[in-house]
Amino acid sequence: MKMTEIKKYDVIVAGGGIAGVAAAIAAAREKQKVLLLESGYMLGGLATAGLITIYLPLCDGKGNQVSFGLAEELLKLSVAHGAQFDYPKEWFDNAAVKSKRYETRFDANVFAILMEQLLLKEKVEILYGTTVVSADTNESKDKIRALKVYNREGLTDVFARTFVDATGDAAVCKLAGEKTA
């Protein structure tokens, strides 16, 4: 997108880590026009760029799965082309996993690419190398109206009805005037 254009979205998600990707997918599947802002150049946050390439147990400690939906979908996506190790073959047979803890190690680079492909399939617009520099709120300061973002195209305002702060450090909330730790 040319940064001089004024763009309006239903949902803007700041942060392309696992939580941001999940939020963007969920919104897109609800037929929302979604923009995902990522300050780096790789999706997945600490899971990929930070090389924390393990899904810790998504089970009750006895091998019974307790996480479903997008959590399970992203876990399975992370090993869609193979895993480093530690995944029960039952995952891909849709059988109950009782023999092992529900965890795996994945290839960070492959997972980042697969997340991007999934987001694009869901028609999520992604802006890499884009930093949120300010938040424009309404007069009562209880709702964000727009974010000012910066990337190599320059500064621009992006507007939405809903904003999701998945930055990991509450950057958007802080810019909007919320108290953060």
Side-chain angles (χ1 to χ4, degrees):
M1 138 173 116
K2 279 199 157 288
M3 296 308 289
T4 55
E5 298 174 28
I6 293 178
K7 288 275 209 155
K8 293 186 177 183
Y9 299 87
D10 297 311
V11 178
I12 295 176
V13 178
I18 301 297
V21 168
I25 291 168
R29 288 181 178 168
E30 291 296 319
K31 307 294 185 232
Q32 302 297 299
K33 183 177 178 184
V34 182
L35 173 65
L36 177 65
L37 305 170
E38 170 52 41
S39 62
Y41 294 90
M42 180 181 205
L43 294 172
L46 288 174
T48 57
L51 295 177
I52 301 175
T53 59
I54 184 170
Y55 263 99
L56 294 175
L58 300 176
C59 69
D60 63 0
K62 298 176 184 172
N64 299 305
Q65 179 183 352
V66 295
S67 294
F68 299 90
L70 276 171
E72 180 183 23
E73 182 179 346
L74 289 174
L75 179 142
K76 287 184 175 181
L77 183 67
S78 77
V79 294
H81 295 289
Q84 291 178 346
F85 55 85
D86 288 343
Y87 70 95
K89 68 179 182 63
E90 295 96 334
W91 285 4
F92 300 101
D93 298 335
N94 291 324
V97 178
K98 302 235 184 237
S99 59
K100 293 181 78 169
R101 298 214 44 175
Y102 203 84
E103 67 184 42
T104 190
R105 290 194 175 270
F106 55 87
D107 181 295
N109 296 311
V110 171
F111 189 29
I113 292 167
L114 294 174
M115 283 187 287
E116 179 180 66
Q117 290 174 345
L118 179 57
L119 287 164
L120 295 175
K121 178 182 161 209
E122 298 290 345
K123 307 232 182 317
V124 173
E125 189 173 337
I126 306 167
L127 286 181
Y128 290 106
T130 302
T131 304
V132 178
V133 296
S134 67
D136 180 22
T137 59
N138 62 4
E139 287 182 22
S140 58
K141 306 277 188 206
D142 64 351
K143 183 162 176 51
I144 298 173
R145 293 182 339 102
L147 298 177
K148 185 171 293 297
V149 298
Y150 177 78
N151 63 20
R152 68 184 187 161
E153 300 290 329
L155 279 171
T156 194
D157 292 318
V158 289
F159 297 84
R161 289 185 296 110
T162 303
F163 296 86
V164 177
D165 186 343
T167 59
D169 62 358
V172 174
C173 291
K174 183 175 177 77
L175 290 170
E178 287 297 318
K179 249 186 174 171
T180 59

